[in-house]
Amino acid sequence: MRSPLIPEMATQEVQLNETLTHLKTESETLKSKLEDERAKLHDVELHQVAEKVEGLGQFVMKTRRTLKGHGNKVLCMDWCKDKRRIVSSSQVTHFMLLKTFMLLEHAVTMPCTWVMACAYAPSGCAVACGGLDNKCSVYPLSLDKNENLAAKKKSVAMHTNYLSACSFTNSDMQILTSSGDGTCALWDVESGQLLQSFHGHAADVLCLDLAPSETGNTFVSGGCDKKANVWDMRSGQCIQSFETHESDINSVRYYPSGDAFASGSDDATCRLYDLRADREVAIYSKESIIFGVSSVDFSLSGRLLFGGYNDYTINVWDVLKGTRVSILFGHENRVSTLRVSPDGTAFCTGSWDHTLRIWA
Amino acid sequence: HTHTHTHTHTHTQAERMYCMFSCFPVLLEMQDLKTGVKSQPQRLVITTIPHAITGEDIISWLADRFQVDTQEARSFGSMLVALGYIYPLQDHKRLVIKPDASLYRFQTPYFWPTQQWPVEDTDYAIYLAKRNIRKKGILELHEQEHYNRLHKWMNHKWDFIVMQAKEQYRAAKERKKPDRVVFDCQERAYWVVHRPPPGTVSAMDYGLDRLIDPNADEVTGESLLVKYCATYNSHDPFLSKCLPSNPWLTDDVTYWTLNMPYVEMPTKMRVERWTFSFAELLSDPRGRNDFRLFLKKEFSGENLAFWESCEDLKWGEAATMSEKAEHIYKTFLARGAPRWINIDGKTMEITVKGLKHPHRYVLDAAQTHIYMLMKKDSYGRYQKSPVFKETVKKAICPEEDAQLEQNAKKRRPSLSPIILRQMEQEQRAKMAATVDITQVMSKLSKQRKEAPPPPCPPPCPPPKK
């Protein structure tokens, strides 16, 4: 309801000046008020929507397996769809296949250092990896433990700078890669043919993740340009872009439903982006966390976000409430890679301390 | 002077009337002392009205400023009047600019439409009550009708309204006459804009409220995340217990054994997930097989087979792509095809045209159509079907088992994925041989052609993490 006070009229001159000043101030005030109003509606944050959601209880998460054997910095790992095997790669020449449940291993030597990317094929019958060699190669696996896997390797992707990440699509026959050359690309494994390239990042692309959507035709990438881009695999177009991080984005991961994705950055924060709302809806940060996030992944329900950090710790976040529920210690150097197992029963971390750990 | 600005307009309404804000820059310019519209005090009856401007001056200023003809300038000027930023001193009910010496004034910001919009009935009631106090019988017919209506609906706060009206009336009396006259004009003009007489066109009329606020979707978007978390909470091993136990904690692999991709009897939890979404059902190999069985009984197995073939085309080898596309066309799309799928004419046209120069996504339109068909129709019926009910009945519910020590000794290596793949391929070959034979045979007998090779279902895309 309007105030009953009425503007007083003074002399003609004074009144006019007043009106003009008033007009100018009104104009500015109203402009910013309109923006505020719109911003208010835009800025309904996730934790506000989730106010009525029950809080999480205490967590007891411990290291259940420690996997040694690399002898140098572990850079990347991926789970096999069978939920118990992993492939991991490291700073010096090899990737390893670990039947983690059993702690047996099968090592392969690669002719390059810093194997920054590795991935398990959906069938579980091949792995892909690459790094400073600017390539992504696929190694078909064998039942024969003594077989030299390097002999059968296929060179698939060729970038003009280091390979930062790779992922098979829904079959063993296509691979998606990201590179320090600022591009992402889709390749046909059998022929090595480039099927589609994705241009748009202004600097090194550091990570990517394929969408789990029903029609599965998009993926998200993160780069040194602080941007997270969502791409249409069919056209090669960037369909959505988010730039709210203050530094390099080291990791991106889709929320299980495909409606959102999380990112981890050197700016020490993780963020959640809602694809329908086309904006950031949550930031996961704490004053006491100042080191960068190297990798992120969600628990099966999407309620928990696990982050591996450069200060050797793992922080567990309540995705809906925005609060940190747990901090895990154990690694003795940077946590460089983190993935939740396909059935969500555990997550695995790889570290510069030469080990991998399984947590549950 | 102080007054509170309340912005009670909803986002939608404000967006719809964005023009209310867009004219600010022009209004400022018009009132510039040096370069704005010429203004001077005008004598009107016994009072002097400051800053009056003529219609013709407004029009010529606008024409010059915007470099348009007088007709357009007049039209624009009239909109400023219709919105309530300029008001006529004579003929106050006609909200237009007259191209002559008729007088106008700029409305005081206090009465700008942006201050509080939409305007509240309470304020209107106070205004009418105030005028009534001043001089009974002064209200016009439509105002009288409003007054009666408001008196009825606001009866519970009528005392407050009368009190406010009296207060305003008293305050007005304390003002100097010229100011009072000016204010009365301004106020009257305000209400002409916001409570127009019947039969007049009002600029405040913006039509219907739009139902879908694109920004409202954001809230829904985020609550989708909340909903997903709630749905899957009991399935998240970090939040709820795995039954019988989490293998990483107890070294007992029963959980994994019970949840193998092609297990005969799925667990109750697993079957429950199939009901969460069609995508869940399809992405679980065991679920997809159950669905396939159901479709077979309905004689619509070709839909799923087609969808799987499209997946194979999209994600498969580049070298065999054209060949595959051709095969799919012959099996599912061509006239008289043995497993002909029912898609609408337009989609069929686009698809057939695209197949002349096939690429990985050439079947997208058709695939989406069939996917939606299965999702919206078959999926629902599947959940009510005897096939599904049977599966639910037979589903296992393992009990919790937290034995630790003994289990560690029982650790065994799991089957290599290479072996598993071989086993899968064998099973699929078996199934392909038996699928929809009756349909194929009946079509064959009609056409008297040679039987095409039975379509080999492609590898089941594994569920995304």
Side-chain angles (χ1 to χ4, degrees), chain B residues 130-154:
Chain B
K130 183 172 59 175
R131 280 184 50 205
N132 225 18
I133 294 168
R134 210 183 314 170
K135 190 174 173 186
K136 280 216 168 12
I138 198 173
L139 296 180
E140 300 196 21
L141 188 61
H142 74 275
E143 287 175 326
Q144 189 69 50
E145 280 170 20
H146 277 298
Y147 185 86
N148 295 339
R149 179 181 56 88
L150 291 168
H151 182 86
K152 184 177 171 196
W153 293 111
M154 293 190 159

Side-chain angles (χ1 to χ4, degrees), chain A residues 1-6 8-9 12 15-20 22-24 26-27 30 33-34 37-38 41-42 44-46 49-50 53 56 59 61 64-65 78-81 83-85 100-102 122-125 141-143 169-174 186 188 190 193 195 210 212 214-217 233-234 255-257 259-260 272 274 276-277 279 281 299-304 306 320 339-340 342-347 358-360, chain B residues 1-5 7 9 11 14-15 18 21 24 27-28 31-33 41 50-51 105 108-112 114-116 120 122-123 126 160 164 168 175-176 179 182-183 186 190 215 217-219 221-226 228-229 232-233 235-239 242 246-249 251 253 255-256 259-260 273 279 311 314-319 360-361 364 371 375 411-419 421 461-465:
Chain A
M1 217 220 76
R2 295 171 61 105
S3 158
L5 290 171
I6 293 149
E8 290 301 320
M9 304 295 175
Q12 196 172 348
Q15 192 220 318
L16 185 61
N17 283 337
E18 254 181 28
T19 311
L20 284 173
H22 196 120
L23 251 176
K24 287 197 176 108
E26 282 300 314
S27 189
L30 279 159
K33 277 208 168 137
L34 179 65
E37 207 81 9
R38 287 164 130 184
L41 286 152
H42 280 208
V44 177
E45 298 212 338
L46 181 55
V49 177
V53 176
L56 294 169
F59 283 95
M61 273 180 256
R64 304 290 171 178
R65 298 279 189 283
D78 190 20
W79 287 92
C80 175
K81 296 279 184 278
K83 313 150 197 174
R84 45 194 139 173
R85 283 175 172 76
T100 49
F101 203 68
M102 281 291 300
S123 68
C125 304
L141 300 177
S142 161
L143 287 169
T169 61
N170 283 4
S171 79
D172 286 13
M173 289 166 260
Q174 287 173 12
L186 181 68
D188 177 62
E190 202 54 51
Q193 186 195 345
L195 298 173
L210 274 154
E214 290 177 287
T215 44
N217 288 326
M233 284 171 73
R234 286 168 295 186
Y255 183 84
S257 69
D259 293 321
L272 187 71
D274 184 322
R276 285 165 186 243
R279 61 180 181 91
V281 296
S299 72
L300 188 142
S301 66
R303 183 67 192 267
L304 299 174
F306 302 104
L320 300 182
R339 297 294 289 263
V340 173
D343 64 355
T345 47
F347 68 90
I358 309 279
W359 308 76
Chain B
H1 51 255
T2 55
H3 33 262
T4 41
H5 300 306
H7 291 263
H9 51 262
H11 170 85
E15 283 288 274
Y18 195 69
F21 300 89
F24 280 11
L27 286 168
L28 271 172
Q31 293 179 70
D32 186 285
L33 285 170
H51 312 305
R105 250 183 123 244
T108 180
Y110 183 76
F111 282 125
W112 282 2
T114 48
Q115 294 295 54
Q116 179 177 19
E120 281 189 10
T122 314
D123 290 321
I126 294 168
F160 167 76
Q164 287 293 310
Q168 288 188 18
R175 261 180 265 121
K176 293 181 229 148
D179 293 340
V182 167
F183 179 77
Q186 291 170 333
Y190 178 81
N215 300 299
D217 207 40
E218 291 164 36
V219 179
E222 280 147 296
S223 62
L224 272 181
L225 298 178
V226 172
Y228 190 95
C229 284
Y232 283 84
N233 191 292
H235 293 258
D236 188 334
F238 279 100
L239 302 175
C242 274
N246 186 327
W248 296 105
L249 269 63
D251 272 344
V253 299
Y255 181 72
W256 285 334
N259 288 299
M260 293 281 280
R273 271 180 83 164
E311 286 290 284
K314 259 202 302 204
W315 310 116
E317 268 178 67
R360 284 188 336 280
Y361 300 105
D364 252 14
Y371 183 87
K375 177 177 173 179
R411 279 194 212 166
R412 295 222 184 327
S414 58
L415 282 174
S416 161
I418 298 168
I419 297 178
R421 181 164 72 172
K464 286 291 298 175
K465 289 180 280 298

Side-chain angles (χ1 to χ4, degrees), chain B residues 124-292:
Chain B
Y124 190 46
I126 294 168
Y127 168 67
L128 292 175
K130 183 172 59 175
R131 280 184 50 205
N132 225 18
I133 294 168
R134 210 183 314 170
K135 190 174 173 186
K136 280 216 168 12
I138 198 173
L139 296 180
E140 300 196 21
L141 188 61
H142 74 275
E143 287 175 326
Q144 189 69 50
E145 280 170 20
H146 277 298
Y147 185 86
N148 295 339
R149 179 181 56 88
L150 291 168
H151 182 86
K152 184 177 171 196
W153 293 111
M154 293 190 159
N155 205 272
H156 57 283
K157 52 178 177 176
W158 204 254
D159 285 341
F160 167 76
I161 287 169
V162 170
M163 186 195 79
Q164 287 293 310
K166 282 184 177 161
E167 178 55 40
Q168 288 188 18
Y169 178 59
R170 186 199 60 75
K173 278 217 281 201
E174 283 170 14
R175 261 180 265 121
K176 293 181 229 148
K177 177 117 194 254
D179 293 340
R180 203 191 322 152
V181 169
V182 167
F183 179 77
D184 284 350
C185 270
Q186 291 170 333
E187 192 182 35
R188 183 182 64 178
Y190 178 81
W191 289 111
V192 167
V193 169
H194 292 285
R195 291 290 182 271
T200 54
V201 172
S202 169
M204 295 297 129
D205 184 6
Y206 61 87
L208 295 171
D209 269 318
R210 296 202 169 133
L211 288 173
I212 300 165
D213 184 348
N215 300 299
D217 207 40
E218 291 164 36
V219 179
T220 325
E222 280 147 296
S223 62
L224 272 181
L225 298 178
V226 172
K227 220 173 148 199
Y228 190 95
C229 284
T231 308
Y232 283 84
N233 191 292
S234 52
H235 293 258
D236 188 334
F238 279 100
L239 302 175
S240 310
K241 289 208 173 98
C242 274
L243 299 173
S245 65
N246 186 327
W248 296 105
L249 269 63
T250 62
D251 272 344
D252 174 23
V253 299
T254 311
Y255 181 72
W256 285 334
T257 316
L258 292 177
N259 288 299
M260 293 281 280
Y262 292 100
V263 74
E264 170 71 31
M265 296 213 282
T267 62
K268 282 226 182 320
M269 290 294 275
R270 187 173 180 176
V271 174
E272 186 188 56
R273 271 180 83 164
W274 301 348
T275 64
F276 291 167
S277 72
F278 185 51
E280 275 284 356
L281 177 68
L282 276 193
S283 65
D284 182 344
R286 181 62 186 81
R288 194 192 289 195
N289 280 354
D290 218 51
F291 186 59
R292 200 191 317 275

Side-chain angles (χ1 to χ4, degrees), chain A residues 8-191:
Chain A
E8 290 301 320
M9 304 295 175
T11 65
Q12 196 172 348
E13 196 63 38
V14 176
Q15 192 220 318
L16 185 61
N17 283 337
E18 254 181 28
T19 311
L20 284 173
T21 325
H22 196 120
L23 251 176
K24 287 197 176 108
T25 333
E26 282 300 314
S27 189
E28 292 311 306
T29 317
L30 279 159
K31 232 197 255 177
S32 69
K33 277 208 168 137
L34 179 65
E35 271 161 26
D36 282 348
E37 207 81 9
R38 287 164 130 184
K40 246 189 266 167
L41 286 152
H42 280 208
D43 274 352
V44 177
E45 298 212 338
L46 181 55
H47 68 89
Q48 292 166 294
V49 177
E51 240 164 26
K52 297 201 182 128
V53 176
E54 219 178 282
L56 294 169
Q58 285 289 347
F59 283 95
V60 180
M61 273 180 256
K62 292 198 282 196
T63 303
R64 304 290 171 178
R65 298 279 189 283
T66 307
L67 312 166
K68 301 175 196 187
H70 266 290
N72 43 73
K73 295 178 176 161
V74 178
L75 302 176
C76 187
M77 59 81 42
D78 190 20
W79 287 92
C80 175
K81 296 279 184 278
D82 78 349
K83 313 150 197 174
R84 45 194 139 173
R85 283 175 172 76
I86 68 171
V87 60
S88 60
S89 66
S90 69
Q91 180 192 15
V92 178
T93 72
H94 26 293
F95 72 81
M96 292 171 61
L97 291 167
L98 297 149
K99 291 183 200 172
T100 49
F101 203 68
M102 281 291 300
L103 299 177
L104 296 179
E105 36 192 271
H106 187 161
V108 173
T109 309
M110 277 183 64
C112 87
T113 57
W114 286 87
V115 185
M116 290 176 269
C118 63
Y120 233 118
S123 68
C125 304
V127 294
C129 60
L132 286 183
D133 59 350
N134 300 357
K135 293 190 210 158
C136 184
S137 307
V138 175
Y139 296 77
L141 300 177
S142 161
L143 287 169
D144 180 1
K145 275 181 213 133
N146 296 319
E147 188 170 336
N148 180 11
L149 294 182
K152 286 207 191 131
K153 89 158 187 210
K154 260 182 276 197
S155 242
V156 176
M158 282 279 280
H159 279 280
T160 55
N161 214 313
Y162 66 87
L163 186 85
S164 55
C166 62
S167 172
F168 284 86
T169 61
N170 283 4
S171 79
D172 286 13
M173 289 166 260
Q174 287 173 12
I175 286 200
L176 195 58
T177 58
S178 65
S179 165
D181 68 11
T183 70
C184 298
L186 181 68
W187 311 83
D188 177 62
V189 171
E190 202 54 51
S191 63

Side-chain angles (χ1 to χ4, degrees), chain B residues 4-55:
Chain B
T4 41
H5 300 306
T6 46
H7 291 263
T8 56
H9 51 262
T10 64
H11 170 85
T12 329
Q13 287 166 324
E15 283 288 274
R16 299 292 303 278
M17 291 297 283
Y18 195 69
C19 52
M20 290 199 299
F21 300 89
S22 328
C23 51
F24 280 11
V26 178
L27 286 168
L28 271 172
E29 280 187 55
M30 286 172 85
Q31 293 179 70
D32 186 285
L33 285 170
K34 294 191 190 116
T35 58
V37 183
K38 226 181 346 169
S39 93
Q40 52 214 292
Q42 297 282 353
R43 271 191 161 273
L44 208 65
V45 195
I46 50 158
T47 0
T48 306
I49 312 288
H51 312 305
I53 48 182
T54 64

Side-chain angles (χ1 to χ4, degrees), chain B residues 275-463:
Chain B
T275 64
F276 291 167
S277 72
F278 185 51
E280 275 284 356
L281 177 68
L282 276 193
S283 65
D284 182 344
R286 181 62 186 81
R288 194 192 289 195
N289 280 354
D290 218 51
F291 186 59
R292 200 191 317 275
L293 185 64
F294 161 74
L295 290 176
K296 184 172 160 183
K297 299 202 168 175
E298 288 214 326
F299 296 103
S300 55
E302 66 275 2
N303 286 339
L304 183 59
F306 175 72
W307 183 84
E308 288 180 320
S309 303
C310 292
E311 286 290 284
D312 185 40
L313 183 74
K314 259 202 302 204
W315 310 116
E317 268 178 67
T320 54
M321 193 204 49
S322 303
E323 204 180 295
K324 275 185 192 161
E326 170 96 18
H327 180 75
I328 293 171
Y329 175 74
K330 284 197 185 134
T331 312
F332 298 98
L333 299 165
R335 276 173 65 172
R339 306 193 74 183
W340 189 77
I341 54 155
N342 192 1
I343 54 176
D344 64 287
K346 181 116 190 260
T347 309
M348 182 64 90
E349 198 185 309
I350 300 169
T351 308
V352 169
K353 194 167 166 195
L355 279 166
K356 293 200 170 99
H357 304 281
H359 55 89
R360 284 188 336 280
Y361 300 105
V362 70
L363 296 170
D364 252 14
Q367 185 183 11
T368 307
H369 180 98
I370 291 295
Y371 183 87
M372 285 306 176
L373 192 70
M374 291 193 290
K375 177 177 173 179
K376 295 197 172 146
D377 185 41
S378 315
Y379 178 53
R381 283 207 311 280
Y382 160 71
Q383 291 179 68
K384 298 184 191 139
S385 70
V387 170
F388 181 67
K389 289 193 175 139
E390 189 65 27
T391 306
V392 170
K393 204 165 137 201
K394 287 202 205 137
I396 305 170
C397 197
E399 275 176 30
E400 196 175 341
D401 173 16
Q403 285 180 296
L404 275 152
E405 306 292 313
Q406 291 130 298
N407 293 333
K409 297 172 194 163
K410 285 194 247 156
R411 279 194 212 166
R412 295 222 184 327
S414 58
L415 282 174
S416 161
I418 298 168
I419 297 178
L420 281 173
R421 181 164 72 172
Q422 286 168 358
M423 286 167 61
E424 264 174 53
Q425 283 168 341
E426 283 164 23
Q427 208 206 22
R428 250 183 264 120
K430 240 193 274 174
M431 281 183 55
T434 57
V435 82
D436 274 348
I437 278 296
T438 46
Q439 205 177 15
V440 173
M441 293 312 291
S442 73
K443 284 211 167 93
L444 281 179
S445 63
K446 279 182 200 159
Q447 296 159 16
R448 280 185 252 123
K449 273 185 199 164
E450 273 195 38
C456 199
C460 200

